[in-house]
Amino acid sequence: MQDIVKEIYTESIQAHIAAGEVLPSPLESAAFTIAQNLINGNKLICCGYQSCQMLAQHIATILVNCYETERPCLPAIALNTEVNNLSTYAEQNEHEVFSRQVRAFAQQGDMLLAIAVNGNEKSIISAVESALTKDMTVIVLVGNDGGELSGLLGPNDVEIRVPSKRPSRIIESHLLSLHCLSELIDLTLFPQDEIHA
């Protein structure tokens, strides 16, 4: 059993190294885009498919509160997946659980941060389509080949694609990517003299 644990850690480390080679540029671009839009008085709307929903809540919480350094709160919300809090219509049209909320809450200039595993999740695709009809900038965290989501994105949108096919490794990389984004956003909006180790 200990050998299995070591294999899992080794695989995770290798996935992070592979992601570290390809993600710095899109993460920098996403952080700058988010920071610029927040400066302009807009908000970040976050959603995640199933196991990624906790990540959407995590990044929204970090932005509203703080990452590692105390700073003013930033406007971000995570969309609701609790169908018992939604209408019967939403229960019957689960793939629209995020898209209807995007149409209800998003305003011009807002951004959508959508988190998926393979890019073919219908509820995330619908949310991105709704965001695009409102001319929102979209930032997508996804894995594998990006699925249908990749084909929806325009030149102003950002795709942060983890080079892995395994869902658990993709989700682990998403968490690290969100922490990178948080730090880059803070450094952009609230420059500090200290250099992080």
Side-chain angles (χ1 to χ4, degrees):
M1 296 298 267
Q2 291 182 20
D3 286 341
I4 292 172
V5 172
K6 289 177 182 177
E7 285 176 20
I8 292 169
Y9 270 93
T10 299
E11 185 183 85
S12 181
I13 290 165
Q14 290 169 345
H16 283 310
I17 290 170
E21 292 295 322
V22 298
L23 296 185
S25 179
L27 284 168
E28 180 184 40
S29 179
F32 178 78
T33 300
I34 293 170
Q36 199 59 50
N37 278 278
L38 293 174
I39 288 170
N40 292 336
N42 301 306
K43 65 182 173 292
L44 183 67
I45 297 174
C46 310
C47 65
Y49 180 76
Q50 291 184 354
S51 54
C52 295
Q53 177 59 23
M54 64 179 179
L55 298 175
Q57 293 170 338
H58 183 58
I59 186 65
T61 300
I62 284 173
L63 291 173
V64 169
N65 296 296
C66 69
Y67 177 53
E68 291 182 336
T69 305
E70 190 173 333
R71 52 136 172 88
C73 57
L74 300 171
I77 59 169
L79 299 181
N80 191 351
T81 59
E82 299 295 324
V83 290
N84 59 353
N85 290 337
L86 301 172
S87 68
T88 304
Y89 175 86
E91 291 176 13
Q92 295 169 351
N93 298 278
E94 189 177 344
H95 67 281
E96 292 189 24
V97 68
F98 297 129
S99 64
R100 293 185 67 80
Q101 293 177 76
V102 168
R103 293 196 296 272
F105 301 133
Q107 308 211 349
Q108 187 173 11
D110 288 345
M111 300 154 291
L112 178 69
L113 175 68
I115 309 172
V117 175
N118 62 34
N120 296 314
E121 298 89 344
K122 298 299 180 194
S123 60
I124 300 298
I125 290 168
S126 294
V128 169
E129 289 172 339
S130 292
L132 294 174
T133 63
K134 296 192 122 193
D135 293 324
M136 295 171 66
T137 300
V138 176
I139 296 165
V140 170
L141 277 73
V142 69
N144 201 355
D145 63 2
E148 288 183 46
L149 282 177
S150 290
L152 296 175
L153 303 179
N156 295 325
D157 302 317
V158 181
E159 181 184 44
I160 300 168
R161 189 193 304 176
V162 177
S164 177
K165 294 182 179 181
R166 188 156 180 200
S168 54
R169 301 296 83 85
I170 292 167
I171 292 168
E172 290 165 4
S173 289
H174 284 347
L175 178 60
L176 185 56
S177 291
L178 292 174
H179 287 167
C180 289
L181 271 180
S182 300
E183 186 153 346
L184 293 175
I185 291 166
D186 280 4
L187 290 172
T188 302
L189 294 176
F190 310 101
Q192 302 170 14
D193 294 332
E194 296 179 14
I195 297 176
H196 293 270

